[in-house]
Amino acid sequence: MALELDSITVRYGQTAAVSDVSLSVADGEVVALLGPSGCGKSTLLRTVAGLEKPASGAVRWDCADLAGVPVHRREFGLVFQDGQLFPHRTVAGNVAFGLRMQKVEREARDKRVLSLLELVGLEGYADRRVTQLSGGEQQRVALARALAPSPRLLLLDEPLSALDRALREQLAVDLARLLREAATTALVVTHDHDEAFTLADRVAIMSRGRIVQVGPPAEVWSSPVDVETAKFLGCNKFVPGSFVGLDVERVGLRATALRVDPDGLMEGTVLERVHRRDHVRLLVEIGGEEYEAVGPMSEIGDRVRLEIDLDGVARIG
Ligand code: ADP
């Protein structure tokens, strides 16, 4: 096991920002810490980096305790939300920074910088000023800079959240590919479940300083451990499993769980309709309860039949 967190608690004064967290990251694995703002994700990441000291518990790398090892000796790469590039240096100057610290000689350094710029899709940008780059390009430079010294672990704190939505989706896909190509071991902090599921081999869900669930994205998505986690993962209605034909006590429904379909087994009355980016969202009354459903366009008051889409249904527990 490459990284091992053993019962980590981190306090700010009396308050525990992280409580008794244990988690491991295997060699070459990408794990996402996912949870709402304030749940302790960054604090945990900063503790791994050596920027915070745990009140109790241990951070280990290949079984060696890192308690006495300062940030710059941990051989971990760091990428933050706003890349924190050196504004007075060129792209190449930024990417070469860690290599210069390691006293890598010029020729090898230049070669490594060029190969990293290629990896992050910025060939030909070496001599640009970083102040002339877009937000997305700056984050690519930050990533190349962090990867340059071949860190044994990459720590990413909301690396894409300063970017606008379309760019974020694209960069998440690029970043996932890039982490795999470079066989990087990484811990990524994000509050965005799409981003976590795009990037990670396993997702650790945090709530109020604790990890409440860890698993592969598909498993966490389809079987959240409790109602709070299910709500965070997009479920907005909770019903007995029998409602959707499943032999489980309770399920959570996402907005896509019910679809208008003439062959559907349920029937309801349209109460409201909202146009979304690529579909129509309906509010439908079934047996005195309100449910969200996916269109096509219907008139308010219409009777519609509804089919269940199990991709939109999460089993709780
Ligand atoms: P997240 O990354 O999930 O948004 P953080 O780890 O930043 O959460 O914060 C966890 C909790 O610790 C929050 O309640 C936050 O207010 C508190 N916290 C974070 N940093 C500090 C600090 N330097 N001093 C005091 N409290 C802090």
Side-chain angles (χ1 to χ4, degrees):
M1 206 46 76
L3 178 71
E4 193 186 348
L5 309 181
D6 184 2
S7 305
I8 300 275
T9 295
V10 186
R11 292 183 200 285
Y12 294 115
Q14 289 303 310
T15 343
V18 171
S19 302
D20 196 24
V21 164
S22 294
L23 178 73
S24 56
V25 183
D27 196 23
E29 190 182 31
V30 178
V31 173
L33 294 172
L34 173 66
S37 175
C39 72
K41 306 179 296 293
S42 294
T43 302
L44 187 58
L45 195 85
R46 291 167 56 80
T47 307
V48 175
L51 295 162
E52 303 287 347
K53 198 170 159 336
S56 59
V59 178
R60 298 193 193 95
W61 183 265
D62 284 347
C63 301
D65 195 328
L66 299 183
V69 183
V71 181
H72 62 281
R73 291 261 158 76
R74 293 195 176 195
E75 295 173 53
F76 296 166
L78 292 166
V79 178
F80 295 100
Q81 181 173 337
D82 55 343
Q84 301 186 343
L85 300 173
F86 306 116
H88 54 282
R89 289 182 197 254
T90 61
V91 168
N94 269 276
V95 178
F97 177 75
L99 301 171
R100 218 177 265 123
M101 292 290 109
Q102 286 182 338
K103 309 225 182 314
V104 174
E105 63 169 64
R106 172 125 207 185
E107 203 177 322
R109 203 168 71 204
D110 289 350
K111 226 170 125 187
R112 175 96 180 124
V113 168
L114 289 181
S115 85
L116 278 156
L117 288 181
E118 195 180 330
L119 184 72
V120 299
L122 291 178
E123 305 94 324
Y125 279 65
D127 298 326
R128 293 257 200 119
R129 301 244 134 236
V130 294
T131 46
Q132 295 167 349
L133 303 179
S134 69
E137 289 164 347
Q138 289 188 15
Q139 280 310 76
R140 287 171 196 263
V141 175
L143 191 65
R145 184 179 62 178
L147 286 171
S150 305
R152 47 191 189 173
L153 174 69
L154 190 62
L155 300 171
L156 303 141
D157 193 348
E158 302 273 6
L160 306 177
S161 61
L163 310 172
D164 64 50
R165 175 135 209 111
L167 183 59
R168 213 159 69 213
E169 285 172 8
Q170 179 55 46
L171 265 190
V173 173
D174 289 353
L175 181 56
R177 179 183 50 77
L178 204 144
L179 292 177
R180 294 216 160 58
E181 273 176 21
T184 314
T185 309
L187 191 58
V188 188
V189 160
T190 178
H191 66 276
D192 181 321
H193 50 67
D194 288 334
E195 203 170 293
F197 293 163
T198 304
L199 291 173
D201 299 308
R202 282 190 306 142
V203 174
I205 308 261
M206 287 190 74
S207 170
R208 291 185 289 276
R210 295 178 186 275
I211 289 183
V212 293
Q213 184 171 12
V214 188
E219 182 185 304
V220 171
W221 186 248
S222 63
S223 306
V225 69
D226 54 24
V227 167
E228 185 188 337
T229 307
K231 280 185 180 163
F232 178 69
L233 296 175
C235 296
N236 49 28
K237 185 93 185 170
F238 296 87
V239 294
S242 57
F243 181 82
V244 292
L246 291 176
D247 187 20
V248 291
E249 196 176 322
R250 187 144 64 152
V251 296
L253 304 182
R254 298 194 171 91
T256 54
L258 299 178
R259 290 176 187 282
V260 173
D261 182 332
D263 298 327
L265 296 176
M266 292 182 204
E267 200 178 8
T269 306
V270 177
L271 298 175
E272 275 176 40
R273 56 185 189 191
V274 184
H275 282 273
R276 288 295 169 90
R277 197 160 47 157
D278 49 4
H279 65 276
V280 177
R281 183 79 52 91
L282 305 175
L283 192 64
V284 180
E285 188 222 300
I286 307 170
E289 282 280 323
E290 295 180 2
Y291 297 87
E292 281 193 82
V294 176
M297 199 55 197
S298 312
E299 297 300 322
I300 289 170
D302 274 1
R303 294 289 283 170
V304 287
R305 301 199 72 85
L306 297 154
E307 188 54 273
I308 297 153
D309 179 349
L310 284 177
D311 284 347
V313 177
R315 294 161 174 76
I316 311 295

